[in-house]
Amino acid sequence: MSIIAKPLIAPSKPNPTPVPSSPLPLSVFIIAFNEADRIGPTIEAVRELTDDLVVIDSGSTDGTQEIASRLGGRVIHNSWPGYGPQKRFAEDQCRHNWILNVDADEVVSPRLAASIRALFEGSGPAADGYETTIAEIFPGEREPHPWGHTLSPVRLYRLDRGRYVDSTVHDRVHFNVSPRIERLKGKIHHFSVRSLGDEIAKLNSYTEQQAEDLDLRGKTLNTWRILTEFPLNFLKAYIGRRHFVRGLYGIATATNYAYFRFLRLAKHMERRRMRDLE
C-alpha cells in the first residue's frame, strides 16, 4: 500500500513537544492475520492507553508482525483455532485485569480513548464491562455514516469477571456473575471491507467455519430456508442494517451479506447430504 506524504506547514510559533499521557492499568489485545495495510492506525490509536499491547498473530506473511512490533506491540504467534479460542488465548497473555479488545481492522476514536482514560481517574471503573459503539466505514468513506448500522458489544471488561466464549465463530464476552454493564462515549471505527472482492473471500472462509460449528453443536437448520435465505437477508441488510444510506454501493454490500447468509445454509445442507452417503 503506497502512502503519499502531505507537505508540512510550519507553524508561526514553535509548539511545545506534547507530553505523552501515562499508560493505564489496562491491557489491550489485538488478533491479526495479514493486516499490514490496516494494523498501524489500530495500534497508534491505543498505544498511549497501555503499557501492555498484545498482538496475537496466526501466521501473517505480509509483515504484520514487524509493523506491530515496531509500534510497540508484544507479538505472539498462535496458529488459528477460531475466533473465541484465539481471543481467550490472547486474554491469557495479558498482564492487567482490565482488558480492551480491538480487532486489527478497527480504530479507537479520540473521543472513545478519552472516555476510557476518564474511567480510570479517581477510584477507577465502577462497572464490570463497558459496551462500545462499533460503526462501519466502507470503501469510499472517510468516517461512519451518521445513519449507518452500528453494534455495541462489550469490548472493555474485567478479566476476573468475564471472558470471551469458547466458540470458533462467535466472539462475545460472557460474564461469570450478573454484571454491571455501562456504555462508553465515542466509537470504534470499523474498516471491515477492503473491497467487495476481499469481502467475498473473507465471507466464504467464514461460512466454512460456521457450517463446521453447526455440525459440532449438533444443530440442524431447515433446508427449505434455501428458498428465502437470500431475498430476506438482502432486505435485512439493505433496510434493517441501513445499507441503503450508501446508495448504489449499498446494494452491492447488501448483496454480499445476503449471499454470505445463503452460502452458510447451502454449505450446511451440503454437509448433511454428504453424511447421508456415509
Side-chain angles (χ1 to χ4, degrees), residues 196 234 238 243-256:
L196 293 174
F234 176 85
Y238 191 66
H243 285 223
F244 68 85
V245 302
R246 297 181 170 91
L248 293 177
Y249 192 78
I251 294 177
T253 57
T255 298
N256 270 5

Side-chain angles (χ1 to χ4, degrees), residues 130-269:
Y130 292 85
E131 295 175 340
T132 58
T133 300
I134 300 178
E136 294 177 310
I137 300 181
F138 282 80
E141 299 172 349
R142 296 185 183 275
E143 58 186 19
H145 194 286
W147 299 341
H149 177 67
T150 62
L151 298 172
S152 298
V154 169
R155 287 296 190 86
L156 177 66
Y157 58 100
R158 285 180 53 166
L159 189 56
D160 61 349
R161 297 292 177 86
R163 295 198 64 177
Y164 271 90
V165 296
D166 191 20
S167 166
T168 58
V169 296
H170 301 293
D171 57 348
R172 62 180 179 82
V173 177
H174 171 73
F175 290 90
N176 51 27
V177 294
S178 181
R180 176 178 174 181
I181 304 297
E182 295 182 1
R183 178 75 63 88
L184 288 167
K185 296 178 181 178
K187 296 177 180 179
I188 289 177
H189 294 171
H190 189 196
F191 298 87
S192 63
V193 179
R194 289 184 174 101
S195 67
L196 293 174
D198 181 73
E199 184 183 34
I200 290 171
K202 178 180 176 181
L203 293 177
N204 182 50
S205 175
Y206 188 48
T207 55
E208 292 286 349
Q209 297 175 60
Q210 287 187 315
E212 183 177 359
D213 178 67
L214 289 170
D215 283 353
L216 292 174
R217 291 188 291 134
K219 187 171 182 179
T220 301
L221 302 182
N222 188 338
T223 54
W224 283 104
R225 284 170 47 184
I226 202 79
L227 299 173
T228 59
E229 200 74 357
F230 187 94
L232 290 182
N233 278 285
F234 176 85
L235 293 175
K236 177 182 177 180
Y238 191 66
I239 298 175
R241 295 195 169 197
R242 299 190 290 279
H243 285 223
F244 68 85
V245 302
R246 297 181 170 91
L248 293 177
Y249 192 78
I251 294 177
T253 57
T255 298
N256 270 5
Y257 176 83
Y259 182 62
F260 148 63
R261 298 295 294 180
F262 167 83
L263 196 58
R264 163 181 170 266
L265 181 59
K267 289 180 178 181
H268 172 64
M269 180 180 69

